[in-house]
């Protein structure tokens, strides 16, 4: 087993950087939606294309700002600056995480919903939107955005920037708890 040192020891990010990335992502999403509506002659867009365009705009601006930050104030390495690296052992974790998610849903959340008398357990709006995708292209687009683009962008923001900054200000457990609470809060 490798001995691990401090989490992203060369990290220089501030709370302002995390806030700028978050706000930049929101602005990117709004700009992408605006351009799409204008490009559509001012007509309203359907929900699935709107989700895809909004998510891609948000990710493009967030990742673009991270690229700029890494080049201007970081090391220029996404591994050292944000912790972005893939190792062969990561695949085990990916499959374990998916299995754990299914197990928690089946063994904890659904029985809890049943005990609370919920006929139709609540789900995020994105699950409803994904179900609305009529075409194969729409389903693939939603899948790519929800399974790849959004999670990678969120991990880089929350773990690569925010957690690395929190980790310099508090204990590991406290930093993880605060980061997790903020992450959960934006997903409510």
């Amino acid at each position: 087993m490798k001995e691990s040192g401090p989490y992203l020891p060369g990290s220089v990010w501030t709370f302002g950087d995390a806030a700028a990335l978050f706000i930049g992502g929101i602005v990117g999403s709004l700009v992408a939606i605006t351009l799409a509506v204008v490009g559509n002659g001012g007509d309203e867009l359907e929900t699935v294309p709107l989700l895809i365009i909004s998510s891609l705009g948000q990710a493009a601006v967030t990742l673009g700002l991270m690229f700029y930050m890494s080049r201007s104030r970081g090391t220029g390495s996404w591994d050292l600056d944000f912790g972005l690296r893939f190792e062969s052992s990561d695949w085990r974790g990916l499959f374990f995480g998916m299995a754990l998610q299914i197990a928690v849903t089946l063994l904890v959340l659904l029985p809890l919903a049943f005990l609370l008398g919920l006929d139709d357990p609540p789900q995020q709006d994105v699950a409803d939107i994904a179900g609305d995708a009529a075409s194969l292209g729409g389903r693939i687009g939603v899948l790519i955005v929800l399974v790849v683009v959004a999670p990678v962008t969120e991990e880089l923001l929350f773990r690569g920037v925010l957690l690395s900054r929190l980790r310099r200000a508090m204990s590991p457990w406290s930093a993880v708890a605060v980061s997790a609470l903020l992450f959960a809060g934006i997903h409510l």
Side-chain angles (χ1 to χ4, degrees), residues 25-41:
I26 292 170
V27 169
S29 176
L30 294 173
V31 168
I33 291 169
T34 302
L35 292 174
V37 169
V38 168
N40 197 35

Side-chain angles (χ1 to χ4, degrees), residues 3-130:
E3 184 176 320
S4 64
Y7 182 69
L8 298 178
S11 171
V12 297
W13 313 128
T14 65
F15 292 124
D17 292 329
L21 289 170
F22 185 77
I23 292 167
I26 292 170
V27 169
S29 176
L30 294 173
V31 168
I33 291 169
T34 302
L35 292 174
V37 169
V38 168
N40 197 35
D43 294 335
E44 190 174 315
L45 294 170
E46 292 182 25
T47 306
V48 171
L50 197 59
L51 169 73
I52 294 169
I53 291 166
S54 171
S55 298
L56 291 176
Q58 180 178 8
V61 170
T62 302
L63 295 174
L65 287 172
M66 292 177 91
F67 178 80
Y68 172 76
M69 288 168 46
S70 179
R71 292 284 180 193
S72 65
R73 291 186 293 129
T75 65
S77 164
W78 284 56
D79 178 6
L80 298 175
D81 292 338
F82 307 112
L84 180 64
R85 68 179 149 267
F86 297 99
E87 298 174 6
S88 60
S89 62
D90 292 338
W91 288 106
R92 289 190 307 248
L94 175 68
F95 291 117
F96 177 75
M98 288 189 307
L100 184 60
Q101 180 71 33
I102 292 168
V104 167
T105 299
L106 294 175
L107 301 174
V108 177
L109 298 178
L110 289 178
L112 182 61
F114 178 75
L115 288 173
L116 294 173
L118 301 174
D119 294 331
D120 190 18
Q123 56 183 336
Q124 289 185 336
D125 291 336
V126 293
D128 291 333
I129 293 169

